[in-house]
Amino acid sequence: MQDPVTSPTGITYDRPAIERWLAAGHGSCPVTGQPLSLGDLTPNHTLRRLIDFWHSTPLTAAAAAPVERRQEAAAVVERLMVTDGSCPSCDLLREAAAVASESGVARRCMVDAGVLRRVLRLVVSCAKKRSSGQVMMATGDACLALFHALDVSGDELRPLVADNHDIVDAVTRMLTTLERGRDEAGDATRASAVKLLESVMEVADASLLERMRPELFHAVTAVVRDRISPGATRAALRMLLHACPIGRNRALIVEAGAAHEAIELEFAAWVPQAPGGRRATELVMALLAQLCACADGRAAVASHPAGIAVVAKRVLRVSAAADACAVRVLAAVAGRAASPEVLREMSRVGAVGKLCCVLQADCDAAVKETARAVLKMHSGVWSGSPCVSAYLLSRYL
């Protein structure tokens, strides 16, 4: 590949190759099948620079680099794995993170040498010392930087954290401490901490998920509320989603105010064109759908002044995944136990109209069936509403 270009579908091609494809009469992306023209192609400058660098690197240097990186990693590991009870300095931890970030060979050497286990123990030790917020932030931030630089897979992380409640408690304590004295550096550490929690919860076993404490969900919900960064917000939402399969956790998440904060996030800051904006909306809708499996979750969505309106507005505007979850939320809120006030609000804010639109749109059959069941259940109430088209209800039911 010499001149990489990227299509709107996210696929990267070599420019001469994709131009030949389009010149041959094809009008779609070869991989996804979606419509594609020459004007849709944009240069991939990052990949172009990497290709140029690769071509300019002498073969001897490329062959010697892995050996040098392995020796550099071994020197760092030797200093990190000191067993005299002392804690490595922040400078050493950051140096190790820099070495791991620069080379996959060095990263692999560190993981094989047990650096990951050492880092997780340091996080726990740092939190248990109950040191000041500044000290915890400095040491904890360095440990978190090294953890993320190691870029371990779920299979590598699972044996160390699957049933390790100490690491969850440690990160929870770190988040709570840094929340009290908010500043820019502390928010960066909170963002790294919640990403670690997301990784842990993704591989946690049932015994760990069943022992989650309310403080954890309050701390993670605060990350969503404070909107530290788009990445931290998405990590917090994913972490809450990983905990939702346990019924007790759903109740604790609602109690922590996560349903309210998720709706507020969508109501105040939803920008579909922003990087990750659509993904954040999908996560919010998925979380609300999980929380609406319990009565407290349904009540939280229905009681929020903009809850039903925000969910209805996202239907048919984001993605098929968001549509499925949003319709599930509306179906849960409008269940057989729905109050007359909730049903009136659904017609007033356009939720009933959106459910009718789902029946007309090219949606998944299961999503259409869910929407049809809700409309049938309350057609007697909604058919007399001035906010709902009686023609639509009669036509599609």
Side-chain angles (χ1 to χ4, degrees):
M1 186 177 286
Q2 301 288 335
D3 185 9
V5 291
T6 302
S7 69
T9 58
I11 308 299
T12 298
Y13 301 97
D14 195 25
R15 184 184 291 278
I18 191 65
E19 286 181 349
R20 284 196 302 271
W21 168 268
L22 295 173
H26 302 288
S28 61
C29 172
V31 174
T32 65
Q34 296 185 20
L36 181 65
S37 65
L38 278 175
D40 296 329
L41 302 174
T42 56
N44 190 329
H45 296 296
T46 301
L47 183 56
R48 176 66 179 268
R49 285 194 294 269
L50 290 172
I51 291 171
D52 292 342
F53 174 77
W54 184 81
H55 279 295
S56 64
T57 302
L59 181 60
T60 53
V67 178
E68 294 175 359
R69 291 288 180 263
R70 193 175 291 110
Q71 292 172 345
E72 189 177 8
V76 173
V77 167
E78 185 177 356
R79 288 184 287 159
L80 270 178
M81 303 300 285
V82 175
T83 57
D84 59 1
S86 61
C87 178
S89 66
C90 293
D91 291 340
L92 176 56
L93 291 168
R94 294 191 184 282
E95 179 187 350
V99 171
S101 300
E102 291 174 359
S103 166
V105 173
R107 186 162 55 245
R108 185 73 265 153
C109 290
M110 289 185 181
V111 173
D112 292 342
V115 171
L116 176 60
R117 184 185 298 273
R118 174 74 162 149
V119 169
L120 295 177
R121 286 178 177 173
L122 286 173
V123 172
V124 174
S125 174
C126 173
K128 284 184 175 180
K129 287 180 180 177
R130 301 185 180 275
S131 50
S132 66
Q134 290 77 11
V135 174
M136 178 185 290
M137 183 181 69
T139 307
D141 189 51
C143 290
L144 292 169
L146 178 52
F147 171 81
H148 293 302
L150 292 175
D151 193 25
V152 294
S153 66
D155 290 336
E156 292 169 325
L157 186 61
R158 184 175 289 107
L160 303 179
V161 302
D163 191 26
N164 186 349
H165 211 286
D166 288 341
I167 187 65
V168 176
D169 286 346
V171 179
T172 301
R173 193 174 297 118
M174 187 182 299
L175 286 170
T176 304
T177 302
L178 295 173
E179 180 189 350
R180 298 192 190 108
R182 284 196 63 193
D183 57 30
E184 187 174 346
D187 282 350
T189 304
R190 289 172 71 195
S192 296
V194 80
K195 290 174 183 177
L196 169 58
L197 269 180
E198 180 208 347
S199 300
V200 171
M201 297 300 287
E202 187 176 6
V203 299
D205 60 19
S207 63
L208 179 59
L209 292 174
E210 290 168 354
R211 292 183 287 133
M212 296 291 101
R213 295 190 173 94
E215 296 82 6
L216 168 66
F217 299 121
H218 281 281
V220 175
T221 300
V223 174
V224 178
R225 180 197 65 213
D226 295 339
R227 298 169 199 172
I228 296 171
S229 70
T233 300
R234 292 193 297 272
L237 292 171
R238 283 192 292 264
M239 181 266 153
L240 295 173
L241 269 172
H242 290 317
C244 276
I246 305 299
R248 171 180 173 272
N249 289 345
R250 287 197 291 267
L252 292 176
I253 292 170
V254 173
E255 184 182 332
H260 177 88
E261 295 302 337
I263 294 171
E264 286 291 317
L265 176 68
E266 282 296 291
F267 180 70
W270 188 70
V271 183
Q273 291 79 19
R278 293 182 182 275
R279 181 56 183 149
T281 296
E282 290 174 348
L283 290 170
V284 167
M285 293 299 123
L287 178 61
L288 293 178
Q290 287 281 352
L291 297 182
C292 282
C294 67
D296 290 343
R298 295 191 290 273
V301 174
S303 62
H304 192 289
I308 295 175
V310 164
V311 174
K313 193 173 181 66
R314 301 301 176 257
V315 177
L316 301 179
R317 294 190 63 181
V318 182
S319 67
D323 292 344
C325 293
V327 170
R328 279 175 56 197
V329 173
L330 295 176
V333 172
R336 296 190 180 279
S339 65
E341 292 78 10
V342 169
L343 297 179
R344 282 195 294 269
E345 183 179 357
M346 289 186 68
S347 63
R348 187 170 61 251
V349 302
V352 180
K354 272 297 181 74
L355 292 174
C356 291
C357 290
V358 167
L359 298 182
Q360 305 173 63
D362 184 21
C363 293
D364 184 76
V367 176
K368 287 188 175 185
E369 189 56 37
T370 301
R372 184 177 287 107
V374 176
L375 292 171
K376 280 184 177 180
M377 188 185 305
H378 301 296
S379 59
V381 176
W382 289 329
S383 59
S385 171
C387 303
V388 179
S389 170
Y391 167 74
L392 284 179
L393 284 176
S394 61
R395 177 180 179 183
Y396 289 102
L397 297 181

